[in-house]
Amino acid sequence: MSRSVQHPATGTAMTDPVRYPSGASSPVRTKRAFVLLLMTLLVPGSAQIVAGDRKLGRTALRVTLGVWALLVVAVLLLVFNRTLLISIITNPYASLVIIVVLVALALWWAFLFINTLRLIRPVLLAPGARPAVVISLVLALVLSSGTLGYAAYLLNVGRNAIGNIFSAGPSIDPVEGRYNFLMMGGDAGDDRTGRRPDSLSVLSVDAKTGQTAIISVPRNLQNAQFSEGSPMREIYPDGYDCGDECLINAINTEVTNEHADLYPGVADPGAQATLEAVSGTLGLTVQAYVLVDMEGFAKLIDAMGGIRIKAGGWVPMSGYFDEVTRTHGMPLGWIPAGEQTLDGDQALWYGRSREYVDDYARIQRQQCVQQAMLKQLDPATLLSKFEDIASAGTKVVDSNISSSQLGSFLDLAIKAKGQEAKRLTIGPPDFDASFSTVPDFDVIHTRVDQLLASASGPQAATPQDVMDDRVTGDGIVQASATGGHPQASGPLRPAAGLRAGVPGQQTPAPSSDFTPVTTTPDGEPITEELLTELKLAGNEEAIRELVATNGQCAPM
């Protein structure tokens, strides 16, 4: 029951237990305390309206209603104009304003809780109720102000990462309805000026639907053609044809060391020249690049908590290379066949190892690692490990993509997630193994056009709509009389489960229906001990046969 207490100034009775708790019973005071805390948590300012300074409460309610209105606008943008919402969040100036507002709201909310504690008047509470009220207050502060403060912190981490990775240059427009990005993975060392890109892939993304095509260019491609307008065409007008050492992955280092003056004002002349070589070789306009340092790549995988894959065969983590015998020493370890969770160091070796196999098996594994990262970088992983991922990204990634376009590109990435990417490799299984040595660029351009047509909207061609073909070592397109799926000609065959030369579809995403090779032809389990014994015995050929399927891979 509440007791009647007179106001000291007016002498009137104060029987309202919410505003005047002195006259209320102990259970009512306790209930009042928890109600005021809940009101401040759910509707900041409402506790002050009913039990304290009404002017302060009205101001707080206006702020609360304003925040709710902004949240409604954000939800509407998320539903109807997601690109604009992401652009606002990733814009360096808008994100700074949001960070300041979040910090101010966190401090304002904390002030309201402290004011609510004053309204509760803990001295009036029963001794047993005071700790519970204080604990509830702390939990509410963490849930409210703490959440806002942490959101501001994460947004600032992302803002700094964007500033460190992406450029402030002009935005780019789609070409023939597509954005084309060159993805380069390379090694940087103390004895090397600039990175040597050992992995080259073009991601071509439909500007409306997000449908993606991936074109892999082998690092040993010879006679690469520079695009029109490239300064390197003045030096190599007939292509990068200075001999057997003129592989496409050597362009970065040569330009960085010898021709940087041809690219005044360009942050990374070697990367830009490589982009121009890939553009001319494939016959399409590549607008931007993303360069990933492979040594730092391991940190990014670790920040994600590893990646899950299904491996078709054992992959060596190669030891030192003997220049005299032209063989590798004892492997540092092995990545087994079957379902595996790879940490950063294992994923790095899985994508770079080519001992006992060729570059094309490595390309397939690199594509698989890329897919596994995209597939497993879901919202839950991103939010829970955002700080580590963003921190690792600043050490791993460099790009000339304008930060002003991140909103539209992230929106395209969301659209692309879950869609099957079309694939083409300028080598097996789509071309003969010798094709990269004497490439026919007219054939490459035709195959690229077919690939992009198949990844461009609902009118995309299907395998039944076009003639099946294959490319021989001479670069000749041969029609198939059967209409089936022929194997690539030449000494190197596609791995099981992959099809060669299907215009309009090209190489499909890696299938998980293959069976990992875990036993020898005699049925003996393949183990690290067995492989070590064969290595010590010098039986390299036996190892080569046992690991021949390690190009097969599928993300889990």
CSV table of all heavy atoms in Angstrom, one decimal, residues 21-22 24-34 36-37 116-117 119-134:
chain,number,residue,atom,x,y,z
A,21,PRO,N,8.1,8.0,-4.7
A,21,PRO,CA,8.2,6.7,-4.1
A,21,PRO,C,8.4,6.6,-2.6
A,21,PRO,O,8.3,5.5,-2.0
A,21,PRO,CB,9.5,6.1,-4.8
A,21,PRO,CG,10.3,7.4,-5.0
A,21,PRO,CD,9.3,8.4,-5.4
A,22,SER,N,8.6,7.8,-2.0
A,22,SER,CA,8.8,7.8,-0.5
A,22,SER,C,7.6,7.2,0.2
A,22,SER,O,7.7,6.5,1.2
A,22,SER,CB,9.0,9.2,0.0
A,22,SER,OG,10.2,9.7,-0.6
A,24,ALA,N,5.5,4.9,-1.0
A,24,ALA,CA,5.2,3.6,-1.5
A,24,ALA,C,5.8,2.5,-0.6
A,24,ALA,O,6.7,2.7,0.2
A,24,ALA,CB,5.6,3.4,-2.9
A,25,SER,N,5.2,1.3,-0.7
A,25,SER,CA,5.7,0.1,0.1
A,25,SER,C,7.0,-0.4,-0.6
A,25,SER,O,7.3,0.0,-1.8
A,25,SER,CB,4.7,-1.0,0.1
A,25,SER,OG,4.5,-1.5,-1.2
A,26,SER,N,7.8,-1.2,0.1
A,26,SER,CA,9.0,-1.7,-0.4
A,26,SER,C,8.9,-2.5,-1.7
A,26,SER,O,9.6,-2.3,-2.6
A,26,SER,CB,9.7,-2.5,0.7
A,26,SER,OG,10.9,-3.0,0.2
A,27,PRO,N,7.9,-3.4,-1.8
A,27,PRO,CA,7.7,-4.1,-3.0
A,27,PRO,C,7.4,-3.2,-4.2
A,27,PRO,O,7.8,-3.5,-5.3
A,27,PRO,CB,6.5,-5.1,-2.7
A,27,PRO,CG,6.6,-5.3,-1.2
A,27,PRO,CD,7.0,-4.0,-0.7
A,28,VAL,N,6.6,-2.2,-4.0
A,28,VAL,CA,6.2,-1.2,-5.0
A,28,VAL,C,7.5,-0.5,-5.5
A,28,VAL,O,7.7,-0.3,-6.7
A,28,VAL,CB,5.1,-0.3,-4.6
A,28,VAL,CG1,4.9,0.8,-5.6
A,28,VAL,CG2,3.8,-1.0,-4.4
A,29,ARG,N,8.3,-0.1,-4.6
A,29,ARG,CA,9.5,0.6,-4.9
A,29,ARG,C,10.4,-0.3,-5.8
A,29,ARG,O,11.0,0.2,-6.8
A,29,ARG,CB,10.3,1.0,-3.7
A,29,ARG,CG,9.6,2.1,-2.8
A,29,ARG,CD,10.3,2.3,-1.5
A,29,ARG,NE,9.7,3.2,-0.7
A,29,ARG,CZ,10.0,3.4,0.6
A,29,ARG,NH1,10.9,2.7,1.2
A,29,ARG,NH2,9.3,4.3,1.3
A,30,THR,N,10.5,-1.5,-5.4
A,30,THR,CA,11.4,-2.5,-6.2
A,30,THR,C,10.8,-2.6,-7.6
A,30,THR,O,11.5,-2.6,-8.6
A,30,THR,CB,11.4,-3.8,-5.5
A,30,THR,OG1,12.0,-3.7,-4.2
A,30,THR,CG2,12.3,-4.8,-6.3
A,31,LYS,N,9.5,-2.8,-7.7
A,31,LYS,CA,8.8,-3.0,-9.0
A,31,LYS,C,9.0,-1.7,-9.8
A,31,LYS,O,9.3,-1.8,-11.0
A,31,LYS,CB,7.4,-3.3,-8.8
A,31,LYS,CG,6.6,-3.5,-10.1
A,31,LYS,CD,5.2,-3.8,-9.8
A,31,LYS,CE,4.4,-4.0,-11.1
A,31,LYS,NZ,2.9,-4.3,-10.9
A,32,ARG,N,8.9,-0.6,-9.2
A,32,ARG,CA,9.1,0.7,-9.8
A,32,ARG,C,10.5,0.8,-10.4
A,32,ARG,O,10.7,1.3,-11.6
A,32,ARG,CB,8.8,1.9,-8.9
A,32,ARG,CG,9.2,3.3,-9.3
A,32,ARG,CD,9.0,4.3,-8.2
A,32,ARG,NE,9.4,5.6,-8.6
A,32,ARG,CZ,10.6,6.1,-8.5
A,32,ARG,NH1,11.6,5.3,-8.0
A,32,ARG,NH2,10.9,7.3,-8.9
A,33,ALA,N,11.5,0.4,-9.7
A,33,ALA,CA,12.9,0.5,-10.1
A,33,ALA,C,13.1,-0.3,-11.4
A,33,ALA,O,13.7,0.3,-12.4
A,33,ALA,CB,13.8,0.0,-9.1
A,34,PHE,N,12.6,-1.5,-11.5
A,34,PHE,CA,12.8,-2.3,-12.7
A,34,PHE,C,12.0,-1.8,-13.8
A,34,PHE,O,12.4,-1.9,-15.0
A,34,PHE,CB,12.4,-3.8,-12.4
A,34,PHE,CG,13.5,-4.5,-11.5
A,34,PHE,CD1,13.2,-4.8,-10.2
A,34,PHE,CD2,14.7,-4.8,-12.1
A,34,PHE,CE1,14.2,-5.5,-9.5
A,34,PHE,CE2,15.7,-5.5,-11.3
A,34,PHE,CZ,15.4,-5.8,-10.0
A,36,LEU,N,11.2,1.4,-14.4
A,36,LEU,CA,11.9,2.6,-15.0
A,36,LEU,C,13.2,2.2,-15.8
A,36,LEU,O,13.4,2.8,-16.8
A,36,LEU,CB,12.4,3.5,-13.8
A,36,LEU,CG,11.2,4.2,-13.0
A,36,LEU,CD1,11.8,5.1,-11.9
A,36,LEU,CD2,10.4,5.1,-14.0
A,37,LEU,N,13.9,1.2,-15.3
A,37,LEU,CA,15.0,0.7,-16.1
A,37,LEU,C,14.6,0.2,-17.5
A,37,LEU,O,15.2,0.4,-18.5
A,37,LEU,CB,15.8,-0.4,-15.4
A,37,LEU,CG,16.6,0.0,-14.2
A,37,LEU,CD1,17.3,-1.2,-13.5
A,37,LEU,CD2,17.7,1.0,-14.6
A,116,THR,N,18.1,7.9,-14.6
A,116,THR,CA,17.1,7.0,-14.1
A,116,THR,C,17.5,6.4,-12.8
A,116,THR,O,16.6,6.2,-11.9
A,116,THR,CB,16.9,5.8,-15.2
A,116,THR,OG1,16.5,6.4,-16.4
A,116,THR,CG2,15.8,4.8,-14.7
A,117,LEU,N,18.8,6.1,-12.6
A,117,LEU,CA,19.2,5.6,-11.3
A,117,LEU,C,18.9,6.6,-10.2
A,117,LEU,O,18.6,6.2,-9.1
A,117,LEU,CB,20.7,5.2,-11.4
A,117,LEU,CG,21.3,4.6,-10.1
A,117,LEU,CD1,20.7,3.3,-9.8
A,117,LEU,CD2,22.8,4.5,-10.3
A,119,LEU,N,16.5,8.7,-10.3
A,119,LEU,CA,15.0,8.6,-10.0
A,119,LEU,C,14.6,7.4,-9.2
A,119,LEU,O,13.7,7.5,-8.4
A,119,LEU,CB,14.3,8.6,-11.4
A,119,LEU,CG,14.5,9.8,-12.3
A,119,LEU,CD1,13.7,9.6,-13.6
A,119,LEU,CD2,14.0,11.1,-11.6
A,120,ILE,N,15.3,6.3,-9.4
A,120,ILE,CA,15.0,5.1,-8.6
A,120,ILE,C,15.3,5.3,-7.1
A,120,ILE,O,14.6,4.8,-6.3
A,120,ILE,CB,15.9,3.9,-9.2
A,120,ILE,CG1,15.4,3.6,-10.6
A,120,ILE,CG2,15.8,2.7,-8.2
A,120,ILE,CD1,16.2,2.5,-11.3
A,121,ARG,N,16.3,6.1,-6.8
A,121,ARG,CA,16.7,6.4,-5.4
A,121,ARG,C,17.0,5.1,-4.7
A,121,ARG,O,16.2,4.6,-3.9
A,121,ARG,CB,15.6,7.2,-4.7
A,121,ARG,CG,15.4,8.6,-5.3
A,121,ARG,CD,14.2,9.3,-4.8
A,121,ARG,NE,14.3,9.6,-3.4
A,121,ARG,CZ,13.4,10.3,-2.6
A,121,ARG,NH1,12.2,10.6,-3.2
A,121,ARG,NH2,13.6,10.5,-1.4
A,122,PRO,N,18.1,4.5,-4.9
A,122,PRO,CA,18.4,3.2,-4.4
A,122,PRO,C,18.4,3.1,-2.9
A,122,PRO,O,18.1,2.0,-2.3
A,122,PRO,CB,19.9,3.0,-4.9
A,122,PRO,CG,20.0,3.8,-6.1
A,122,PRO,CD,19.2,5.0,-5.9
A,123,VAL,N,18.5,4.3,-2.2
A,123,VAL,CA,18.5,4.2,-0.7
A,123,VAL,C,17.1,3.8,-0.2
A,123,VAL,O,17.0,3.4,1.0
A,123,VAL,CB,18.9,5.6,-0.1
A,123,VAL,CG1,20.4,5.9,-0.4
A,123,VAL,CG2,18.0,6.7,-0.7
A,124,LEU,N,16.1,4.0,-1.0
A,124,LEU,CA,14.7,3.7,-0.6
A,124,LEU,C,14.4,2.2,-0.8
A,124,LEU,O,13.4,1.7,-0.4
A,124,LEU,CB,13.7,4.5,-1.4
A,124,LEU,CG,13.7,6.0,-1.1
A,124,LEU,CD1,12.7,6.7,-2.0
A,124,LEU,CD2,13.5,6.4,0.3
A,125,LEU,N,15.3,1.5,-1.6
A,125,LEU,CA,15.0,0.1,-1.9
A,125,LEU,C,15.5,-0.8,-0.7
A,125,LEU,O,16.3,-0.4,0.1
A,125,LEU,CB,15.8,-0.3,-3.1
A,125,LEU,CG,15.5,0.4,-4.4
A,125,LEU,CD1,16.4,-0.1,-5.5
A,125,LEU,CD2,14.1,0.2,-4.8
A,126,ALA,N,14.8,-1.9,-0.7
A,126,ALA,CA,15.2,-2.9,0.3
A,126,ALA,C,16.7,-3.4,0.1
A,126,ALA,O,17.1,-3.4,-1.1
A,126,ALA,CB,14.3,-4.1,0.3
A,127,PRO,N,17.5,-3.6,1.1
A,127,PRO,CA,18.9,-4.0,0.9
A,127,PRO,C,19.0,-5.2,0.0
A,127,PRO,O,20.0,-5.2,-0.8
A,127,PRO,CB,19.3,-4.4,2.3
A,127,PRO,CG,18.4,-3.6,3.2
A,127,PRO,CD,17.1,-3.5,2.6
A,128,GLY,N,18.1,-6.1,-0.1
A,128,GLY,CA,18.3,-7.3,-1.0
A,128,GLY,C,18.0,-6.9,-2.4
A,128,GLY,O,18.5,-7.6,-3.3
A,129,ALA,N,17.3,-5.8,-2.6
A,129,ALA,CA,16.9,-5.5,-4.0
A,129,ALA,C,18.0,-4.6,-4.7
A,129,ALA,O,18.0,-4.6,-5.9
A,129,ALA,CB,15.6,-4.7,-4.0
A,130,ARG,N,18.8,-4.0,-3.9
A,130,ARG,CA,19.8,-3.0,-4.5
A,130,ARG,C,20.7,-3.7,-5.4
A,130,ARG,O,21.0,-3.2,-6.5
A,130,ARG,CB,20.5,-2.3,-3.3
A,130,ARG,CG,19.6,-1.4,-2.5
A,130,ARG,CD,20.3,-0.8,-1.3
A,130,ARG,NE,19.4,-0.1,-0.4
A,130,ARG,CZ,19.7,0.3,0.8
A,130,ARG,NH1,20.9,0.0,1.3
A,130,ARG,NH2,18.8,0.9,1.5
A,131,PRO,N,21.4,-4.8,-5.1
A,131,PRO,CA,22.3,-5.4,-6.0
A,131,PRO,C,21.7,-5.8,-7.3
A,131,PRO,O,22.3,-5.7,-8.4
A,131,PRO,CB,22.8,-6.7,-5.2
A,131,PRO,CG,22.6,-6.3,-3.8
A,131,PRO,CD,21.4,-5.5,-3.8
A,132,ALA,N,20.4,-6.4,-7.2
A,132,ALA,CA,19.7,-6.8,-8.4
A,132,ALA,C,19.5,-5.6,-9.4
A,132,ALA,O,19.6,-5.7,-10.6
A,132,ALA,CB,18.4,-7.5,-8.1
A,133,VAL,N,19.1,-4.4,-8.8
A,133,VAL,CA,18.9,-3.2,-9.6
A,133,VAL,C,20.1,-2.8,-10.2
A,133,VAL,O,20.2,-2.4,-11.4
A,133,VAL,CB,18.2,-2.1,-8.7
A,133,VAL,CG1,18.2,-0.8,-9.5
A,133,VAL,CG2,16.8,-2.5,-8.3
A,134,VAL,N,21.2,-2.7,-9.5
A,134,VAL,CA,22.5,-2.3,-10.0
A,134,VAL,C,23.0,-3.2,-11.1
A,134,VAL,O,23.4,-2.7,-12.2
A,134,VAL,CB,23.6,-2.2,-8.9
A,134,VAL,CG1,24.9,-1.9,-9.5
A,134,VAL,CG2,23.2,-1.1,-7.9
